[in-house]
Amino acid sequence: MGALYTWYALAIVTVGYVVGELGHFLIGVTSKATSTDLDYGDISCQFNSTTLSVVDVPTQCDTAKSRETCKSLELNGTNYCEWSHNGQGLGYQLLAGSSFIAVFTSVGVIFGIAADRYNRVRLLAICTAVFSIAVIFQGAVTEYWQLFILRMLFAAGEAGCNPLSTGLLSDWFTEDKHGLVMSVFNWGIFGGQGITYPVGRYISALNFWGLGWRVCYYGAGIVGMLVAILTGLLKEPPRTVIGEEKTKEAKKESICSVISQPRIILLVIASSIRNSGGYCFAYNSDLYYRQYFPDYDLGWWLFAVTTVIGSIGVVVGGYVSDKFVAKMGVKSRVAVLALSQLFATPAAFGSVYFAPVGAMTSLAISYFFAEMWLGILFAVLVEIVPLSMRSTIVGLFLFVMNNVGGLLPILVEPVSKAIGYRESLWILYAGAYGLSSFMFLFTMFLMDHPQDDEPSKSWGQANRNFVEDENKTTTLELPRVPSKRSIGYEHSQL
C-alpha cells in the first residue's frame, strides 16, 4: 500500500474514534439539561442570574439546602438562585461510567479475539455503524432507562474501535512510525472529549428546531454513519510480524503465558490507574467548572486546551518515543510514559485548585504532557506481544484497564460528599496521574523480554553476537578446539 493511502486510512479510523468519543463524553456536558428533561440525579440550589455576579451576592446559592431557602435568596428584590437538577449524583455517575464501561470492556475482548481471526476492516465498519445508530436514538429518549440501555448499546459498538484499529495500524505502518501513528489515533479520545465542550454547551443553547441538547446526538450519529461507510471501503492489510517477535525463534505461546508476564501485569496496573484519573476529569470537568466558576464561560477554553494542546502533546510524545526507541529499545517508550505523567501531575492539581486563569494555564500544561500516554502505551503493547494474539491481548488489556479506570470515577460521588467536590478531584484525578508515573517507572525495568537473559538452547547462538564490521562492536572469545559433536552439528546446518 502506498504511503498516502496509509495516512488516509489513519485519518478515517481516527475520525471514527473522534466521533465515538464525542458520543462517549457528550453526556458529561449535556448532563444538566438531560437530567432536567429526564428527571434523574441530584437537585440543588444553583446560581442563575445573567445580571449579577457571584461575588456580588450576599449569600452563596450552594449554602441553601432546601427549595424554600433557595427561593428566598435575593438581592434588591431579584432572585438569583434556582432549585433544579445539577447534572451530578449517582444517577449520572452510573450513566456516564458504569453502564458504559461494563459493556465496553466485555465486548472489547470479544472484538479483540475476532480481530485475530476475521476481516478487521469489515468489523470496524460494523462497530462504527452500531455506535452511530445508538447515539442517534439517544437523542430521541424520553425516559432515563432508555438512555441507560442505549448507552450500553453505544458502548458495544465503540468497544471494537481500539482493538480493531490498533491491529490495522500496526500492519499499515512500519515500526519506526508506530509511536506517532498510535498517538495520532488515540488522540481521538481527547479530540472527541474536547469537541464535546462547544457542541454540548453552545449547540444545545442554540436550540435548533426546538431540540435543545438532542440535536447534538443526532448530528454526531449522522457523521458517524458517514464514517462507517468510508471505513468499510478501506483495504484489509496483510498481517505482519513486528517488535520482539522478529528477533525470537518461532515458538508457540499461549495467551496465559503472555498476559502473566510481570511486565504486562505491571503495565496494565499502571495504565488502569492513569486511566481512572483521566476518566475522573473527563466526566466531571464541565460540571466542576460550571459549579466553581459560574461567572465564566470556559467552553471554548476547555475545547482549546483539550483538543489543541492535547494534540500537540500527542504528536510530540509519539515522535519522541519513536526517535528514542530506534536507539534505546522499547524501554525508552515506557520511560517517556513515566516522565510525561510525572510532569503532568502538579499541573493537573493546579487545574482544579487555581482560579480560572491559573486553572486553564495549568490544564494546558497538564494536557501537553498527560496526553502523550495512550499512543505510546499501545505502541509498546503491540511490539511485545505475538502477532497471532495481538488484537486479543489489546482487547484483554482494555478490559482490565477500562474496568478499573472506568469504574473508579464512581468514587467521586461519596468522596465529594465527605470532603468536597474539588478535594475529591485532587485525589482521584491528579493523585492518579502521580501514582501512575511511578508505576510506569517500575514497569520500565521489566521491559527486557523474559527470554533475553536465558542462555540460548541453540548450539553456537551465544557466540553469534559479533559482526564483522569495523563500525560495530565485536565480541571476542578465546578459540576452542571443535568437538566431533559440534562439527557434526555444523555440517548438519549446511
Side-chain angles (χ1 to χ4, degrees):
M1 295 184 185
L4 288 178
Y5 179 83
T6 56
W7 287 104
Y8 165 77
L10 171 62
I12 294 298
V13 299
T14 301
V15 171
Y17 205 25
V18 169
V19 176
E21 290 301 289
L22 170 61
H24 179 185
F25 291 113
L26 193 57
I27 188 65
V29 184
T30 63
S31 182
K32 191 175 187 301
T34 54
S35 63
T36 300
D37 204 356
L38 304 179
D39 190 22
Y40 68 85
D42 289 352
I43 299 176
S44 65
C45 188
Q46 304 163 69
F47 184 77
N48 183 34
S49 175
T50 57
T51 59
L52 299 174
S53 175
V54 172
V55 296
D56 297 329
V57 300
T59 305
Q60 297 300 309
C61 297
D62 57 9
T63 60
K65 303 304 179 184
S66 68
R67 182 191 298 270
E68 292 72 21
T69 305
C70 181
K71 288 188 174 182
S72 67
L73 298 178
E74 61 177 43
L75 180 63
N76 299 326
T78 301
N79 294 321
Y80 54 85
C81 298
E82 66 171 352
W83 183 259
S84 64
H85 289 85
N86 59 16
Q88 301 175 31
L90 184 60
Y92 165 67
Q93 296 296 342
L94 290 173
L95 190 64
S98 302
S99 65
F100 182 91
I101 293 299
V103 177
F104 181 76
T105 54
S106 301
V107 178
V109 175
I110 297 173
F111 277 118
I113 296 172
D116 288 325
R117 292 164 173 76
Y118 304 108
N119 187 292
R120 295 165 293 182
V121 167
R122 291 175 186 170
L123 288 172
L124 183 58
I126 292 171
C127 288
T128 307
V130 168
F131 78 64
S132 299
I133 292 170
V135 79
I136 289 174
F137 279 102
Q138 285 178 53
V141 298
T142 57
E143 300 287 344
Y144 175 80
W145 68 266
Q146 296 171 347
L147 186 57
F148 193 92
I149 296 297
L150 286 168
R151 282 282 292 176
M152 291 193 289
L153 178 61
F154 176 89
E158 201 196 1
C161 290
N162 199 309
L164 291 167
S165 298
T166 298
L168 287 168
L169 293 171
S170 66
D171 291 331
W172 273 324
F173 291 88
T174 55
E175 287 178 66
D176 62 327
K177 295 184 178 67
H178 279 174
L180 176 60
V181 168
M182 296 299 178
S183 293
V184 169
F185 169 71
N186 282 282
W187 166 83
I189 296 178
F190 319 115
Q193 180 191 345
I195 294 171
T196 61
Y197 296 114
V199 170
R201 285 187 177 215
Y202 308 128
I203 300 298
S204 295
L206 291 173
N207 197 27
F208 288 114
W209 307 290
L211 293 172
W213 59 270
R214 299 174 186 273
V215 74
C216 304
Y217 290 83
Y218 293 142
I222 292 171
V223 173
M225 288 302 298
L226 295 175
V227 175
I229 294 171
L230 294 175
T231 301
L233 297 175
L234 296 175
K235 298 176 182 177
E236 175 80 6
R239 301 172 193 258
T240 55
V241 173
I242 61 174
E244 291 180 352
E245 200 171 9
K246 293 196 304 185
T247 63
K248 296 188 296 179
E249 296 179 6
K251 180 182 177 181
K252 183 69 175 178
E253 294 186 86
S254 67
I255 292 179
C256 289
S257 67
V258 174
I259 63 177
S260 63
Q261 294 175 15
R263 59 181 181 170
I264 298 289
I265 294 173
L266 200 54
L267 190 64
V268 76
I269 293 173
S271 300
S272 298
I273 294 170
R274 168 58 182 82
N275 205 32
S276 71
Y279 274 137
C280 280
F281 181 76
Y283 290 148
N284 294 280
S285 56
D286 190 73
L287 294 172
Y288 169 82
Y289 290 118
R290 284 179 187 267
Q291 177 175 322
Y292 283 88
F293 311 120
D295 289 344
Y296 294 84
D297 185 355
L298 298 176
W300 286 113
W301 283 103
L302 289 169
F303 167 76
V305 168
T306 55
T307 304
V308 179
I309 303 299
S311 302
I312 297 172
V314 161
V315 173
V316 169
Y319 179 80
V320 168
S321 76
D322 280 340
K323 292 302 180 183
F324 278 132
V325 80
K327 299 179 180 179
M328 300 169 58
V330 73
K331 274 188 175 182
S332 63
R333 291 202 198 276
V334 187
V336 175
L337 266 179
L339 290 174
S340 64
Q341 302 315 297
L342 181 62
F343 294 152
T345 299
F349 180 84
S351 69
V352 285
Y353 175 81
F354 295 119
V357 174
M360 291 299 101
T361 302
S362 297
L363 187 62
I365 297 171
S366 174
Y367 254 76
F368 176 79
F369 291 106
E371 307 320 330
M372 294 180 179
W373 85 289
L374 264 181
I376 301 174
L377 170 67
F378 286 104
V380 170
L381 197 58
V382 299
E383 290 176 7
I384 64 175
V385 300
L387 167 65
S388 61
M389 59 184 75
R390 187 180 300 158
S391 293
T392 301
I393 296 296
V394 170
L396 289 169
F397 194 94
L398 286 168
F399 174 82
V400 178
M401 186 179 84
N402 284 319
N403 261 299
V404 176
L407 296 178
L408 278 181
I410 202 171
L411 295 177
V412 170
E413 179 65 16
V415 174
S416 63
K417 290 288 193 298
I419 63 175
Y421 194 28
R422 170 180 277 159
E423 290 75 10
S424 69
L425 294 181
W426 290 350
I427 298 170
L428 297 173
Y429 157 46
Y433 280 19
L435 181 57
S436 72
S437 68
F438 289 104
M439 296 296 292
F440 283 129
L441 181 63
F442 295 146
T443 307
M444 182 184 70
F445 296 106
L446 299 177
M447 268 300 130
D448 287 327
H449 190 271
Q451 294 180 343
D452 286 351
D453 297 327
E454 296 178 4
S456 175
K457 296 180 181 179
S458 300
W459 285 89
Q461 183 69 33
N463 298 324
R464 292 173 188 170
N465 296 329
F466 68 91
V467 179
E468 293 181 6
D469 187 330
E470 63 182 6
N471 295 323
K472 297 184 179 180
T473 303
T474 302
T475 301
L476 299 177
E477 62 175 3
L478 293 175
R480 295 183 298 173
V481 177
S483 65
K484 293 181 180 180
R485 183 177 177 181
S486 63
I487 293 174
Y489 177 83
E490 294 292 343
H491 287 177
S492 70
Q493 302 302 303
L494 299 177

